[in-house]
Amino acid sequence: MAAKGTAGNGSAPDLSLVFPGSDGQPLVFPIPEGTVALGRAADNDLVLDDASIEPHQVVLTRTGDRLELRGLFAGTTKVNGTESQKVQLKPGDVITLGDVKLRLMKVAGSKGSGGLKRGQTTRLGRASSTSSRRTRASQEDPPTRTGTEGSRQTTRQDPQDDAEGRRARERDARRARALARARQLSDEIMHEDDFEVVFERLAGGFLDVFAADRAVTVLFEEDGINPLMVVERRRDGTAEGTGIAQEIISRCLQVRSVIRVAGGYQGLGGLAAPLLTESRALGMLYFERVSTPGSPLGADDVHLMALLTNIASLKIAPLVQ
């Protein structure tokens, strides 16, 4: 099975995901080295615009020909018909995300013009075409002539709608900057083999990604509870370190997922997430906003925190075990 426009260019076969597009033609996504996020949200590396897929559903990690799938505990993920959250993949495997099936194959020429690129939105048969609706709406906005005398009727935009649109654009711009920094941070830690440096990069990176005032990374002792190493970074550059409150650690380890931490001001606060392996907790990531202005922490921040935590867990586990 080859993607339209990819065959015959002489390129060596490469690991790729092959799946049908909305027109029934096969689409090819060549899997790059490192981590690749799959989901419906626009910040994924492979954006699958289908209502049955979660905003952030799985992460693939490729090292040479070795490929691992790790679920983000959102939605239904199956490999060859069996629900899976962590599994090694091989060519021929079928990954099912929601109602969408993707086959892992070695495709000749998948890096050519017919291959999908990172971040390119892929609309599938059941997808909602939000951007298409926006395009149609913009084409219908210009003034139209009505009446027998050809009088001109101009559609005027409500000032409130204009203000909401401006705020939406500002939110999108902030989100785009955060996602770009998050991708950079992921690349930085995946190419680092010193776990202390990984923890330092994470703490420093969270100040930018989440506009945080304070970020903390913790490595636990063998018991998976007590801190062995704490790295703290503050936006104001002070060296004071208070770590993470024990009640936050206890609650986070009990829930074993991202938790919200209430702040002292409306719209502020923080997030905490455990670094987990199948056997124990390796550590914890945490950040807080104390006085940073900006939009409140929302679902996008939680998803991004979960994504970075999973990537960090994949990187740190072999370095400390």
Side-chain angles (χ1 to χ4, degrees):
M1 187 177 189
K4 183 179 180 181
T6 61
N9 62 2
S11 299
D14 192 28
L15 277 176
S16 305
L17 294 174
V18 181
F19 52 98
S22 58
D23 60 356
Q25 293 294 323
L27 299 174
V28 175
F29 177 77
I31 304 171
E33 287 280 330
T35 58
V36 179
L38 280 68
R40 193 177 70 248
D43 58 305
N44 289 283
D45 297 295
L46 177 55
V47 182
L48 299 168
D49 188 2
D50 187 277
S52 69
I53 297 177
E54 295 297 314
H56 301 89
Q57 189 153 335
V58 298
V59 171
L60 302 180
T61 302
R62 179 179 179 181
T63 306
D65 284 336
R66 180 183 175 87
L67 187 66
E68 182 182 76
L69 176 146
R70 183 166 184 141
L72 299 178
F73 301 99
T76 301
T77 299
K78 297 180 179 180
V79 176
N80 299 326
T82 302
E83 288 199 26
S84 305
Q85 289 297 328
K86 185 177 180 181
V87 64
Q88 295 292 327
L89 299 173
K90 62 184 183 303
D93 285 345
V94 175
I95 304 168
T96 304
L97 306 180
D99 298 329
V100 177
K101 293 184 177 181
L102 307 94
R103 182 175 291 275
L104 179 63
M105 303 179 67
K106 284 197 171 184
V107 180
S110 61
K111 293 183 178 180
S113 59
L116 296 172
K117 298 178 181 179
R118 272 196 176 197
Q120 178 178 344
T121 300
T122 305
R123 289 191 172 82
L124 307 177
R126 294 170 298 278
S128 59
S129 301
T130 305
S131 59
S132 298
R133 290 197 298 272
R134 284 199 299 264
T135 300
R136 287 195 296 271
S138 65
Q139 293 171 345
E140 294 166 1
D141 283 344
T144 57
R145 294 182 179 274
T146 61
T148 56
E149 297 180 359
S151 60
R152 177 168 296 178
Q153 179 182 353
T154 303
T155 302
R156 295 183 180 179
Q157 192 160 8
D158 191 313
Q160 183 177 355
D161 292 340
D162 186 58
E164 291 177 355
R166 183 172 62 255
R167 286 193 293 269
R169 290 191 294 272
E170 291 173 353
R171 287 195 301 270
D172 289 343
R174 286 195 298 269
R175 187 179 297 116
R177 289 194 295 270
L179 293 175
R181 182 64 181 96
R183 283 203 177 93
Q184 180 185 12
L185 180 60
S186 298
D187 291 339
E188 289 174 359
I189 64 175
M190 290 306 294
H191 291 88
E192 181 57 61
D193 293 327
D194 186 329
F195 73 89
E196 292 187 50
V197 176
V198 171
F199 274 72
E200 291 174 358
R201 289 188 182 276
L202 285 168
F206 275 24
L207 299 180
D208 297 329
V209 174
F210 298 103
D213 292 296
R214 189 171 75 95
V216 184
T217 55
V218 174
L219 177 68
F220 290 147
E221 295 180 359
E222 288 295 324
D223 60 8
I225 299 175
N226 294 312
L228 176 66
M229 183 185 75
V230 178
V231 176
E232 182 168 332
R233 295 290 180 268
R234 290 173 172 261
R235 181 169 296 278
D236 61 11
T238 59
E240 179 185 359
T242 56
I244 306 176
Q246 187 58 50
E247 57 266 26
I248 296 176
I249 294 177
S250 299
R251 180 184 164 207
C252 197
L253 292 179
Q254 181 180 16
V255 176
R256 295 180 70 83
S257 65
V258 179
I259 65 170
R260 294 175 182 268
V261 180
Y265 301 92
Q266 184 178 5
L268 301 177
L271 297 175
L275 298 171
L276 301 173
T277 64
E278 293 180 355
S279 58
R280 68 183 179 94
L282 300 173
M284 186 168 295
L285 306 181
Y286 170 77
F287 75 86
E288 65 183 25
R289 293 173 176 173
V290 179
S291 59
T292 306
S295 58
L297 292 171
D300 288 341
D301 296 292
V302 174
H303 288 310
L304 191 54
M305 183 71 161
L307 179 62
L308 288 171
T309 301
N310 276 278
I311 293 172
S313 296
L314 289 171
K315 180 61 182 179
I316 292 170
L319 299 180
V320 300
Q321 290 185 324

